[in-house]
Amino acid sequence: MKKRFVAGLLGVALVAGLAVGCQKQETKEEGKESYEIGISQFAEHGSLDNCREGFLAGLKKEGIVEGENLTVQYKNGQADMGVVSQISDGFVSGKVDMVCAIATPSAQSAYNAAMDTDIPVVYTAVTDPVAAELSDADGNGVGEVTGTSDQLPVKEQLEMIREILPKAKTIGIMYTTSEANSVAAIEEYKELAPEFDFEIKEVGVNNTSEVALATETLLTGIDCVSNLTDNTVVASLPGILDKANAKNIPVFGSEIEQVKIGCLAAQGIDYIALGEQTGVMAAKILKGEEKASGIPFETISEPGFYVNLEVSKNLDIKISNELMDTAVESFESIEVK
């Protein structure tokens, strides 16, 4: 009798388990399966934070909502490649459904960790996916990896600088020598600068500890600075701005957040919009509508003009009415970080 009772319980449990399995299968078929995503962000600064915010908004737009059918593990590498590697390995060993990698070093690390698994990697804020070896020359992923590029509108940036500073000759740029996106951007600047009668003075750094000394070198013999989306340099941007302002040297940014905190102006992209675009791509992969390898990386086609009028006033630099008419957004104060 006791054995029969136990067997009966096992039978009930088995039926219940089958019911749960069927229910889960039905949920999956309806596109309502729950997901777990690991977000690996290389460093903490405004543009990358905006990418993360936009990414989650893009998923929500497609019905994948944190706290409902989405669990998110968020990890920040604090610009330390050792930490970034640990984050990637942890997500892969934890068998998340997808890794979202924000910025080139995180994207490269995540792909290397996941390449022998079935975990797709979706990246954002990668300036040059081809140079980063995440994509082939046609824009297709080298494996189950895809995402969005924040390729700098270098030509438009140079054109803007020439209009604002008609007498300028030399532009200084600081970059991290190990960041593939920054190296590619420097090469594009050097290639296009002669079209606008500019020379480029480049100063490379390996990490944030070198930025202070490199800034002193950078600010010698130049007319202005053009800042990239280089993660190491952006993390130190407030200090660079302080030293540049003391010498009355204008600093041009590469996106809206840099203009908010004290860069004079930028021809840049909206990182929330870029992140949202990435989230929509990720949703298609999670739902099984596309494979990451089947989606070429995407970019935002049109840059926007952003200007900080408080900075222009402090530097006594006039922004023409024609250029102001094109501004996506202007700021009347400097945001303190």
Side-chain angles (χ1 to χ4, degrees), residues 130-294:
V130 177
E133 300 183 344
L134 297 167
S135 168
D136 63 22
D138 296 321
N140 301 307
V142 294
E144 292 307 317
V145 56
T146 189
T148 56
S149 165
D150 61 345
Q151 184 173 12
L152 296 175
V154 175
K155 186 172 184 177
E156 291 85 350
Q157 180 87 343
L158 290 168
E159 186 175 15
M160 175 197 67
I161 295 172
R162 175 51 71 208
E163 182 170 348
I164 294 174
L165 301 177
K167 296 181 179 179
K169 296 183 181 298
T170 306
I171 300 173
I173 304 177
M174 188 185 302
Y175 73 106
T176 306
T177 56
S178 60
E179 280 205 31
N181 58 330
S182 297
V183 174
I186 286 288
E187 291 305 311
E188 187 173 5
Y189 262 97
K190 291 195 293 187
E191 180 182 344
L192 294 176
E195 292 184 25
F196 300 91
D197 199 24
F198 284 124
E199 293 181 2
I200 301 298
K201 176 184 177 180
E202 59 187 281
V203 176
V205 297
N206 295 305
N207 50 58
T208 53
S209 68
E210 298 179 3
V211 171
L213 184 59
T215 301
E216 299 294 341
T217 302
L218 181 71
L219 297 178
T220 303
I222 63 169
D223 298 294
C224 65
V225 172
S226 189
N227 197 54
L228 308 179
T229 51
D230 186 293
N231 296 288
T232 302
V233 178
V234 171
S236 305
L237 186 54
I240 296 171
L241 286 167
D242 286 343
K243 292 182 178 182
N245 289 335
K247 295 189 175 187
N248 214 43
I249 295 175
V251 178
F252 293 91
S254 53
E255 45 85 26
I256 184 172
E257 295 299 325
Q258 295 178 21
V259 177
K260 284 182 181 179
I261 67 170
C263 287
L264 173 59
Q267 282 285 359
I269 63 175
D270 182 338
Y271 274 86
I272 290 180
L274 187 72
E276 185 172 335
Q277 186 174 339
T278 314
V280 171
M281 296 169 70
K284 293 178 182 179
I285 297 166
L286 288 170
K287 292 176 181 180
E289 298 171 2
E290 299 272 4
K291 290 180 70 68
S293 56

Side-chain angles (χ1 to χ4, degrees), residues 25 33 85 128 147 159 189 230 233 272 298 309 323 335:
Q25 181 63 31
E33 184 179 5
S85 180
D128 191 338
E159 186 175 15
Y189 262 97
D230 186 293
V233 178
I272 290 180
E298 299 177 2
L309 298 177
L323 195 53
E335 186 177 291

